[in-house]
Amino acid sequence: MALSSKSADEISELLDEYGIKHGPVVDSTRSLYEKKLKEAMAKGKRAKPSSDKTYYREEEVTYVYRTPVRSEASRDSGTYMRSRPEWSEREYEHETSYSDYSRSRPEYRGRDFVDEPYTYSSPSSYREFYSRSTPVKSDQEAPKSSRLVPLWVQLVFFLAVAVFLYVVFSSMETNESLIGLE
Amino acid sequence: MSSTSQKHRDFVAEPMGEKPVMALAGIGDVLGKRLADKGFDKAYVVLGQFLVLKKDEELFRDWLKEISGANAKQQGDCYGCLKEWCDAFL
């Protein structure tokens, strides 16, 4: 990996892969950027050559699928409050794994209920979209990339947030019950 | 207002014109000579570098440290000086 023999464009691309903010690669900035790349490589930071695009593509697809699922959301109003904060954490943490998506579907639905308050679509369209998701799922799993943040970190963080929210919620509940007694 | 040196205030008060690199806040004789040896003999050349680094603080500080051995305070003073000059005149 002889950085000094690479072209300016290649250096620029490498900087983007490592997520290093940078300006144009010119004579006076070159050595600085080469040094930064060496540090990034030594730290073993994860470079994402083309997986960034995969990430966004799958995110887009996720959005499309969520829309018609809303018809089920109205029936889940009971679990809505609980699932909504959990889902918003998931959105930011989980990149793309479809196995997670299908498992956490109830949480996604809860989120949709609040964000799109227009008429519900029929359950048949929901099934249609759901069946469409399967072929895409197998297609997208192949190029699945390594995670930016390790999975266990995401789960631990998610659990921590869930516990925190539960504590907050339960403390609120205590107050209400006191008022009820009086 | 955070404490800025007289040098800083003098520099950001007017267009830099042909001022030497030592006119920059944080750049004294030693650093100034090192910069001049590398070709950065005028303040506007350092300004050029600052702009090419997209006025980014971290990049500029890293670059200044690499080229002249400036310490954190000197890096900060120089960055602050150039940033404020750009806000006023660029």
Side-chain angles (χ1 to χ4, degrees):
Chain A
M1 187 70 84
L3 288 173
S4 42
S5 63
K6 290 199 183 294
S7 74
D9 287 338
E10 285 168 338
I11 297 282
S12 186
E13 269 171 45
L14 278 170
L15 286 164
D16 288 335
E17 281 171 24
Y18 282 95
I20 299 171
K21 213 171 93 171
H22 65 97
V25 181
V26 291
D27 288 344
S28 60
T29 57
R30 179 129 186 169
S31 69
L32 175 71
Y33 292 141
E34 281 180 14
K35 199 169 145 216
K36 281 198 168 266
L37 279 172
K38 274 197 198 111
E39 281 170 18
M41 288 177 190
K43 271 187 197 165
K45 270 194 208 175
R46 298 249 184 105
K48 300 173 101 179
S50 56
S51 58
D52 269 338
K53 290 176 190 144
T54 313
Y55 169 75
Y56 287 124
R57 215 171 34 232
E58 292 184 39
E59 273 278 87
E60 271 176 46
V61 170
T62 315
Y63 266 99
V64 171
Y65 293 151
R66 274 193 275 125
T67 326
V69 177
R70 287 181 49 267
S71 60
E72 304 263 337
S74 56
R75 288 167 231 161
D76 279 349
S77 52
T79 57
Y80 161 70
M81 276 305 290
R82 187 64 66 93
S83 64
R84 184 168 168 250
E86 289 170 354
W87 181 88
S88 55
E89 298 309 320
R90 245 181 222 275
E91 183 191 37
Y92 299 121
E93 292 171 46
H94 280 288
E95 288 171 64
T96 51
S97 53
Y98 269 86
S99 55
D100 283 339
Y101 167 79
S102 49
R103 184 163 39 88
S104 58
R105 188 176 286 252
E107 292 158 333
Y108 281 90
R109 278 183 274 154
R111 193 3 171 98
D112 276 323
F113 186 71
V114 107
D115 285 339
E116 291 147 339
Y118 48 82
T119 53
Y120 303 120
S121 54
S122 64
S124 60
S125 60
Y126 159 72
R127 267 180 249 291
E128 178 194 298
F129 274 82
Y130 178 69
S131 60
R132 212 190 287 174
S133 74
T134 335
V136 183
K137 173 182 175 172
S138 54
D139 184 47
Q140 294 288 10
E141 265 183 5
K144 189 174 109 174
S145 59
S146 53
R147 296 173 184 280
L148 187 60
V149 175
L151 177 62
W152 70 271
V153 172
Q154 292 176 4
L155 285 173
V156 164
F157 180 72
F158 168 70
L159 282 170
V161 170
V163 165
F164 170 72
L165 287 169
Y166 175 74
V167 166
V168 168
F169 181 70
S170 60
S171 68
M172 278 163 53
E173 207 174 355
T174 315
N175 287 341
E176 282 178 18
S177 64
L178 277 174
I179 292 166
L181 277 171
E182 287 186 64
Chain B
M1 189 162 103
S2 63
S3 58
T4 51
S5 64
Q6 187 61 44
K7 213 171 164 192
H8 173 105
R9 290 193 286 276
D10 289 344
F11 191 85
V12 302
E14 57 181 1
M16 65 176 77
E18 299 291 320
K19 283 184 186 169
V21 69
M22 272 158 275
L24 284 163
I27 307 296
D29 293 338
V30 175
L31 291 182
K33 174 136 193 348
R34 287 186 197 155
L35 283 167
D37 286 345
K38 297 271 172 70
F40 295 86
D41 56 343
K42 296 278 185 187
Y44 65 71
V45 188
V46 178
L47 171 71
Q49 184 67 8
F50 177 69
L51 297 175
V52 151
L53 291 169
K54 301 182 98 147
K55 301 192 257 176
D56 180 72
E57 178 166 9
E58 198 194 322
L59 285 175
F60 181 72
R61 288 175 85 127
D62 285 348
W63 170 80
L64 190 59
K65 181 175 171 196
E66 195 203 336
I67 198 167
S68 67
N71 65 32
K73 185 179 187 311
Q74 290 162 331
Q75 295 163 23
D77 288 347
C78 189
Y79 168 78
C81 180
L82 281 170
K83 181 173 185 313
E84 212 175 302
W85 186 93
C86 285
D87 289 343
F89 298 104
L90 193 58

